[in-house]
Amino acid sequence: MADLSAYPITSRWPAQNPDILQLYSTPTPNGVKVSIMLEETGLPYEPHFINIGENETWTPEFLSLNPNGKIPAILDPDGPGGQPLALFESGAILIYLAEKTGKLLPADPARRYETIQWLMFQMGGLGPMFGQLGFFHKFAGREIEDKRPLERYVKESARIIRVLETRLEGRDWIMGDDYTIADISMLGWVRNLIGFYGAGDLVRYDELKTVPNWLERGLARPAVERGLNIPARV
């Protein structure tokens, strides 16, 4: 049995089965990237719910794994060379899991980097912009009298989702016939934009064709449906 006692996070969230990958997360758009990926690959794992509403990511135990205090994070007892590996940042985790399992990232070098390119598009643009739009439209940002921040993020989110619309023309998935980590990275964010954030009208979502069809295909996948609710809220 693997010994994970060197990782303080396991003192607060003990591993019931330390021989399998440990996931520390919350079912937010960033968090579900990893749970969906794990469900898609079939890699055994143990999820731990991190209550971000109670600031559990700022506890010493969580910060010992991710000094940036954000979910998701993983602890893989069977990392490179058979040694435990702690990893944070959802994009890095997706690439790691794809390479570990040989799934959902093309082997061809050119297509591999093209896939990673679209993953970075989500990490650097789509996710942050949709998140800021959600803040200023749904949460505390609504109290700010100056509407220029909201207007900025509405405009940029509308532009970004049309980049995705164009990319998906003639394609089922971002990489054509291949469903990849690029799709996994974006599904939860687009779902949140029009659902939880209620911002569909702001970005004129009803004018789009390829993105809604892509989202419907993605949400119909059993692994996506499961991953969207993992870890279970407690």
Side-chain angles (χ1 to χ4, degrees):
M1 182 172 289
D3 182 7
L4 301 180
S5 61
Y7 295 89
I9 195 166
T10 62
S11 66
R12 187 180 181 105
W13 292 280
Q16 298 301 311
N17 185 352
D19 289 332
I20 64 176
L21 186 145
Q22 305 294 305
L23 169 65
Y24 307 92
S25 190
T26 309
T28 66
N30 273 335
V32 299
K33 296 178 199 175
V34 178
S35 54
I36 290 171
M37 181 66 176
L38 288 165
E39 289 293 317
E40 290 281 10
T41 61
L43 190 68
Y45 71 102
E46 182 178 331
H48 301 273
F49 177 74
I50 308 300
N51 193 331
I52 58 178
E54 297 295 328
N55 293 320
E56 288 187 340
T57 58
W58 301 112
T59 60
E61 295 87 354
F62 189 88
L63 290 171
S64 71
L65 192 64
N66 182 1
N68 194 36
K70 303 292 182 182
I71 58 92
I74 64 169
L75 175 55
D76 186 0
D78 184 25
Q83 298 301 308
L85 175 69
L87 201 60
F88 63 90
E89 283 297 333
S90 58
I93 296 172
L94 288 179
I95 294 171
Y96 170 71
L97 293 175
E99 293 182 342
K100 180 182 177 72
T101 61
K103 297 178 179 180
L104 301 171
L105 182 61
D108 174 75
R111 287 183 60 78
R112 179 179 185 273
Y113 281 110
E114 188 178 357
T115 304
I116 293 173
Q117 162 188 269
W118 284 100
L119 172 62
M120 295 302 108
F121 167 78
Q122 184 280 308
M123 296 291 295
L126 185 146
M129 292 302 104
F130 287 9
Q132 293 290 356
L133 172 54
F135 173 79
F136 283 100
H137 177 58
K138 184 178 178 67
F139 297 110
R142 299 197 314 184
E143 301 170 2
I144 299 174
E145 292 185 12
D146 187 346
K147 298 306 177 187
R148 285 175 295 180
L150 174 60
E151 292 168 359
R152 167 179 169 77
Y153 293 119
V154 166
K155 182 177 180 180
E156 185 64 0
S157 295
R159 184 192 70 80
I160 284 174
I161 204 167
R162 279 160 178 78
V163 173
L164 185 58
E165 174 82 358
T166 299
R167 172 64 183 181
L168 287 166
E169 289 178 358
R171 296 180 173 92
D172 282 345
W173 307 107
I174 291 169
M175 290 301 296
D177 292 335
D178 296 328
Y179 171 79
T180 68
I181 58 175
D183 301 285
I184 290 173
S185 73
M186 298 188 209
L187 285 168
W189 277 109
V190 176
R191 173 178 177 261
N192 247 43
L193 179 73
I194 63 172
F196 184 68
Y197 293 155
D201 289 345
L202 295 180
V203 299
R204 306 190 306 280
Y205 187 81
D206 60 356
E207 296 177 5
L208 307 178
K209 292 182 173 59
T210 65
V211 170
N213 290 337
W214 162 85
L215 181 62
E216 184 178 359
R217 279 191 294 275
L219 296 180
R221 296 179 67 89
V224 173
E225 185 176 358
R226 293 192 302 269
L228 287 170
N229 297 296
I230 297 172
R233 298 181 185 274
V234 295

